[in-house]
Structure formats: C-alpha cells, structure tokens
DNA sequence: CAATGGTTTGCACGCGCGTGCAACATTGGG
DNA sequence: CCCAATGTTGCACGCGCGTGCAAACCATTG
C-alpha cells in the first residue's frame, strides 16, 4: 500500500489510478448503481491499493441519512447503563447505524448541550437513557426530522417515542412477594436522584402497602448506588424496630443494603431479612448476593428500537409510548415461606 | 420556534431571515472570524428562532478535523470496560471531541470492520481498548492521518501510540505480597482469552514464582469473567492439595473464585486463603469482597490521551509507548501477616 | 474635504460525494 | 448493413459550510 502524507484518500485519486471517471468510483461503492463488472474490478483494485474508504460524512451531506445515532447517558460505569450501551451499540451496528455516546454526567446543563450536539452531527435519532431533556429541545430535534426515543423517562411526552417498563406493576408485585414471605416490617430504599422511573417504583410500592394497610418508610440518603444502599441500611438497622423486608428500587442499592445488614448487623438473608432489587444486573446473580429482582427486558427493548429506526416511515400515528413487562427473577434473597 | 418539515435548518435560511449574507452566518459561528456585533446579534436571533445548528459533518468536510474519536471496545458491560468508556467519553468531550463507540463483540473480523468504519467517518483518532487490529489496518489509519492509540495491547507496534500499564511489575509485586503473607501453595487464575495484557500478568507472576523456586499452577478455563473464576476455584479446591494464595489476573475472576471458595468449600478469606485481583473495579471495594488489587490509573491514562489529541502536532519522534504504574490497593483479602 | 488605515461584508470557490441526464458503447435482430 | 434496445460512462450540479479576496464601509487624522 502506498504511503501517503497524512490525508484521506479521495475518490478522485482512485479514479485516476483505475483509469475511470470519479463517477464510476462512486457508483462502485453505491448499492444498486450501474457499473460494469470490469470497471468495478478495476476500481476495487485501485481502492484497495490506495486504501480508499468512502467518506460517510460527505455521503451523508446530500443523502438525508447520516446513520449516526446518539446515545445520551450518564453514569456509564454503572452496570445497568453499561449493559444498555452494550446491547444498544450491538443492535444499532447490526442495522448499519453507528452509535455516538454523549456522556451527560458532569457538566451543568449537560443534557441540553448534548441534545444540541445530536443536531450538530445530524444524527438520525437520539436515544435518551439518562436525564430529562426539555420539551423545547425535544421539539427542535423532532422538527429537524430526528427520531427521539426516551427510555424509562416516564414523563410521557407526546412528541417523542417513549419506552418504559411497567414499574408500577413490578413494584406492586414486589410488595406482595415480601408479604407472602411473611415480612411484617417492610421498608423501601430509594435514592435522592428523582429519576422518574425510580420514583415510580418507590411510590407504587408505598401505595401497594398503603392499600394493604401498611405504612412503609422510605429511605433516601443519596444518589443511586451501592454506597447509598449501605447508608440506608445503617439507618434502618440503627433504629429500635428493624425491617425484615426491604424493597430497593435498584440492584446496586440492594447490594449495599444487604452487605451492611449482614456484615454490620449480623442479619441473615433471607432468614431474617428478605431483599428485592430491580434491574437484574450481572452482580445480582453472583453467589454472595443471589438477589431476587426484576429484569428489564433490555434485549426486547433494543430490538424494538432497532425496528423503529429501521422502518423508513415513522409511524407517528401509533401510540408513542411502548411499555415492557419487567420479568421477576426468583433467587435466594427472599424467604420462600413465612416462618412458623 | 417555527415548525419545519422534517429537515435540518441550513445557514442560508438563517441568512435570509437575518437579512445578511450566508457568510455572515458562517462567521458568526466560527471562532475568530470577523463579524460586527450588530450582525452577530441579528444572526444569533434568527438562528435561535429557526432552530439552526451548524452542520458539523459539512464543517468537517473542508476543515481537516472531524472532532470524532472512535472507541473500539468489546464486552462493554464489563465493569472495567464500562469505566474506561465513562472516563474516555467525559475527557474527550472536555476538549470538544465526541466519541463514537464501536462494539467489536459479536461479528467475526469485528475489529477489522470497525477499523474501516473509523476511516469511513473520518475520525481524528481511534482508541483501541479491545482486540488487536492487524498492522496493515493500523497502517491504513495512520497513513490517513488518524492517530491510533492502543491501550493495554502489549504488542508494542512501532506505528501507533501504545499505552500500557506495567503488568509485569504489578504481577511480580503480587507474588511477593502473597509470599509475605505466608502463602505456600500459590496458584494463578487466568482466562483463555489470550489478551496480551492478561497474558503478561500471568507469565510475570509465574516467572516471579519460578525465580523464587516455586512452581505455580495456572488455571484457565474460559473467558475473562466471574463464571470462569468460579470454575477455576472448583477445580483448584477439588484437588488433594488446595491453594492458600491465588492471584487472579482480573477482579472479576477473583470474585468468582472467592465466592466459590467461601460458599462451596468453606474457605475463609483471608485467614485460610489470600486472593489478589487486578483492575480495582467498583465491586472490589464492596464489603463482600474487600479485594486487594491493583488499580489501573484510568484517569491519568485518559488525561494523557486527551493531551495527545489536543496537541496539534503529533510528536511522533517521542517514544511511541507510554507506560503507567498500577497502584496497589490494600484491602482485606490478603492476610496481613504470616500465621504462626 | 481628502487621504489613510482598519473593519466588515459579499462573492465565489472548494471540501468529497451521489446522481440525473445525455452521450456513448455494445449487442442482437431485422 | 442499419436500427433499436439495453447497459455503461462522463459531465455537471448540488449537498452545507469555511474562507481568501476584493469591494465597501467607517472612523480618524492631516
């Protein structure tokens, strides 16, 4: 391969080497274009020799699709988010799209500037996994012909496509699970993050308990994570009456909670304490936790997204919000039967 | 904001609304261009009203920088990789770059096609976190003016920039740690993945033991992950003589190992068994594991990368490989003193 | 008022590519 | 041998934007 001086090879150079017009080169790399087999071979050979690669940026300039999809996400190192990105990137690639990941973590107004970036790069679609963009920003994206997909942002805006898991159903189910296990002193561990999805789980659980005539304390002492779960446990078990059943709105919270309950307060799970989490992250299946939880069907969700994006015409007429059923995963952190 | 019909706003429309030339609009959004304050205001107002956003794709077409950086990575949901992506995306954004994540997981020849995508999108740089691209592919990228940065791919190719942590040093250190703890029957748990970095840790540890006159068995029963660690422990503790010290080339392996040793074989850590991991993923600090391990200075690494990319002129004269020192993290999975 | 220097503006071109259109080559049938 | 039909090729234009260049404008000074 010829060594060139710090610059990408353009179609014109390939054309010159192959002894054809630039159009011929362009057509060779365009599906369904009319090129004879001989020139095609010549072009491919020349392209290979020069190390030519079609400039997708320039191609997207006239063609209305950039094949770029933006993922807006924060706390990427979180197991749940990481898994989401893993699946999303794979599925997107399988339909010829490519993922731009915009980390909305640190900076103030991170989501807003991220949304602007998506427009700057003419992304075909933007998938929001974290944060809540303002309606006006969403409107901008939509009016520019982008698809906007909100995942687990339960705000149910009418413009974009909403994808949610049925938190209310799952949280209600969780309550009855604990109740059937014979738990009498039940608590909820949530976070101060105020993510709509987590909030929904929290209030649904409390509501289910209330309807059952039980008043359930809610513990929220920090952001969504292991450390907050620890802190919650310390407060819960530092009281006079200690819980025998806990619903955590996130697996990470549950694990922090469980570790402190066991190691600092000598509780045994599930004999003295039943715990339920949410998300079914990898660690939930680890021996030390063996956590009963609810799995979000991320595969199905990703499949659905991909199907949405693959469809050329956007079916805006259809209901803009699609909901998925969380799958209960029975493990060992909930007592099988009530104690005698 | 005016509602438009599924298409991005272009500078010309802004110009018309603002009553200026398109150049004025362009200059308004270009740093260091000469525009009077009044036209600037007019343009900004019009842009705001129309929802105009500069097309970075078109901009990058003539300007030699696309500000796109590709991250090649597999197994994104792994804590280590996730953290790497988290930090990388943040730091890249802080210098005005944007990250394209290419998941090289599934598909055969994934790395090769990923490298090609990199060129297709005219990425300024490509950062390889997983897999080992062929030298010819790397050469293609380099000759196109892209920067290629290989992380922990210890192949030490001469073209691209190599970033490594000193695995040999750390593994040797790990051996002496176990030795000082009084461990006499030491084993290594590795994986069948054959990643250069992991292999380096493995052989360095074995070599350190050999020089100390100790023959150390190496267990590799599957890919790098928790389950493989479990399997390794089952085999190690199913033997007649069982280890009292284990070095795992990855935290995940260590955790699987520890869980099985404790729960299936009743070993107590660190009294009967000392374990050392590598990476210092979040979970290593969790109470259930409290794992002694080596932290990769991901922050420093990312800073270094960012500095490389920010420098306009690439200092190819300098040594193309930069190495970082892993930081020992002392926790509770290694016995503090040898038993009497 | 004229001359001068500095600032701002518009024009026009190029970035790399896809594609409509017309010219061209090829082939088969009459 | 001629004509039509089919297939292929090249030209030229446009995609949205940045920028060099020269014209136009403005303020300041002599």
């Amino acid at each position: 391969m010829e060594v060139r001086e710090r610059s990408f090879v353009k179609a014109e150079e390939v054309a010159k080497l192959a002894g054809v017009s630039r159009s011929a080169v362009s057509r060779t790399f365009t599906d369904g274009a009319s090129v004879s087999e001989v020139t095609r071979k010549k072009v491919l050979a020349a392209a290979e020799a020069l190390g030519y690669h079609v400039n997708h940026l320039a191609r997207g300039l006239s063609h209305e699709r950039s094949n770029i999809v933006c993922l807006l996400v924060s706390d990427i190192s979180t197991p749940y988010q990481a898994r989401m990105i893993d699946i999303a990137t794979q599925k997107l690639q399988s339909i010829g799209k490519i993922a731009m990941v915009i980390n909305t973590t640190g900076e103030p107004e991170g989501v807003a500037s991220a949304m602007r970036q998506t427009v700057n790069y003419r992304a075909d679609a933007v998938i929001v996994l974290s944060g809540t963009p303002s309606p006006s920003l969403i409107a901008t994206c939509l009016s520019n012909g982008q698809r906007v997909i909100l995942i687990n942002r339960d705000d149910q805006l009418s413009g974009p496509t909403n994808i949610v898991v049925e938190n209310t159903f799952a949280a209600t189910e969780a309550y009855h699970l604990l109740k059937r296990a014979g738990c009498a002193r039940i608590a909820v561990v949530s976070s101060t993050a105020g993510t709509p999805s987590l909030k929904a789980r929290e209030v649904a659980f409390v509501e289910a308990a209330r309807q059952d005539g039980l008043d359930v304390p809610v513990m929220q002492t920090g952001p969504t994570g292991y450390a907050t779960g620890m802190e919650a446990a310390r407060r819960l078990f530092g009281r006079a009456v200690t819980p025998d059943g806990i619903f955590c709105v996130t697996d990470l919270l549950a694990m922090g909670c469980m570790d402190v309950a066991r190691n600092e307060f000598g509780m045994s799970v599930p004999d003295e304490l039943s715990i339920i989490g949410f998300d079914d992250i990898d660690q939930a299946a680890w021996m030390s936790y063996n956590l009963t939880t609810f799995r979000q069907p991320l595969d199905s969700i990703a499949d659905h997204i991909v199907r949405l994006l693959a469809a050329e015409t956007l079916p805006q007429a259809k209901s803009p919000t699609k909901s998925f059923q969380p799958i209960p995963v029975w493990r060992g952190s909930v007592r099988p039967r009530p104690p005698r």
Side-chain angles (χ1 to χ4, degrees), chain A:
Chain A
M1 179 186 328
E2 184 181 341
V3 177
R4 296 187 38 77
E5 195 53 39
R6 290 183 44 60
S7 135
F8 292 96
V9 180
K10 59 181 83 170
E12 192 175 358
E13 310 176 31
V14 177
K16 188 157 51 182
L17 179 60
V20 298
S21 78
R22 195 185 55 71
S23 315
V25 177
S26 188
R27 282 188 245 267
T28 300
F29 293 100
T30 305
D31 288 341
S34 165
V35 204
S36 74
E37 198 55 30
V38 284
T39 52
R40 179 188 184 74
K41 294 286 187 204
K42 282 194 293 186
V43 168
L44 287 179
E48 179 67 26
L50 260 47
Y52 170 74
H53 296 255
V54 178
N55 187 335
H56 279 33
L57 272 43
R59 167 182 282 178
L61 198 52
S62 36
H63 208 273
E64 192 61 13
R65 312 221 67 80
S66 63
N67 284 330
I68 295 175
V69 174
C70 284
L71 264 44
L72 269 55
V73 53
S74 68
D75 298 313
I76 295 179
S77 57
T78 281
Y80 170 73
Q81 301 284 29
R83 185 156 165 63
M84 194 70 221
I85 293 180
D86 194 359
I87 296 180
T89 49
Q90 280 190 58
K91 303 265 183 188
L92 285 174
Q93 285 172 215
S94 75
I95 58 167
K97 309 272 183 197
I98 193 153
M100 268 189 170
V101 174
I102 306 185
N103 195 330
T104 58
T105 300
E107 355 166 8
E109 72 130 54
V111 181
S113 74
M115 291 290 276
R116 271 189 286 274
Q117 285 276 355
T118 69
V119 184
N120 281 333
Y121 282 100
R122 295 315 192 242
D124 293 344
V126 29
I127 301 177
V128 182
L129 302 174
S130 309
T132 307
S134 73
S136 81
L137 279 172
I138 295 180
T140 300
C141 291
L142 288 174
S143 73
N144 282 339
Q146 295 182 302
R147 316 245 179 127
V148 178
I149 301 176
L150 304 181
I151 303 204
N152 274 337
R153 334 265 90 221
D154 301 34
D155 315 282
Q156 310 283 359
L157 300 173
S158 66
T161 305
N162 289 281
I163 291 183
V164 297
V165 301
E166 298 194 357
N167 293 304
T168 300
F169 165 84
T172 306
E173 181 77 9
Y175 174 76
H176 290 123
L177 237 85
L178 289 179
K179 205 67 204 297
R180 270 201 300 276
C183 298
R185 305 177 306 280
I186 299 180
V188 176
V189 172
S190 183
S191 85
T192 53
T195 308
S197 205
L198 303 187
K199 202 70 192 170
R201 291 169 204 166
E202 173 193 324
V203 304
F205 190 93
V206 171
E207 174 61 18
R210 206 191 51 76
Q211 291 202 359
D212 197 35
L214 200 65
D215 198 26
V216 163
V218 176
M219 199 95 259
Q220 28 189 5
T221 66
T224 319
Y226 179 85
T228 298
M230 290 176 69
E231 176 63 20
R234 289 200 178 106
R235 297 205 192 175
L236 284 172
F237 290 99
R239 296 175 175 179
V241 309
T242 60
D244 60 356
I246 301 181
F247 172 59
C248 302
V249 298
T250 271
D251 281 353
L252 281 180
L253 289 169
M255 290 167 182
C257 210
M258 195 188 292
D259 274 346
V260 163
R262 282 206 280 221
N263 295 310
E264 292 187 3
F265 296 92
M267 307 291 296
S268 98
V269 176
D271 296 331
E272 301 171 275
L273 172 66
S274 291
I275 297 193
I276 298 179
F278 208 108
D279 285 345
D280 192 29
I281 61 179
D282 287 348
Q283 289 75 16
W286 289 5
M287 296 182 79
S288 290
Y289 299 101
N290 196 24
L291 184 69
T292 293
T293 184
F294 291 86
R295 175 183 308 151
Q296 298 200 35
L298 296 190
D299 250 301
S300 310
I301 291 176
D303 279 332
H304 183 249
I305 293 175
V306 160
R307 224 170 303 129
L308 277 181
L309 298 187
E312 281 310 314
T313 159
L314 71 178
Q316 203 64 320
K318 285 172 55 180
S319 165
T321 149
K322 167 96 176 175
S323 90
F324 288 83
Q325 199 71 236
I327 304 152
V329 179
W330 302 82
R331 294 207 183 90
S333 65
V334 174
R335 187 169 38 204
R337 306 182 179 290
R340 296 279 156 154

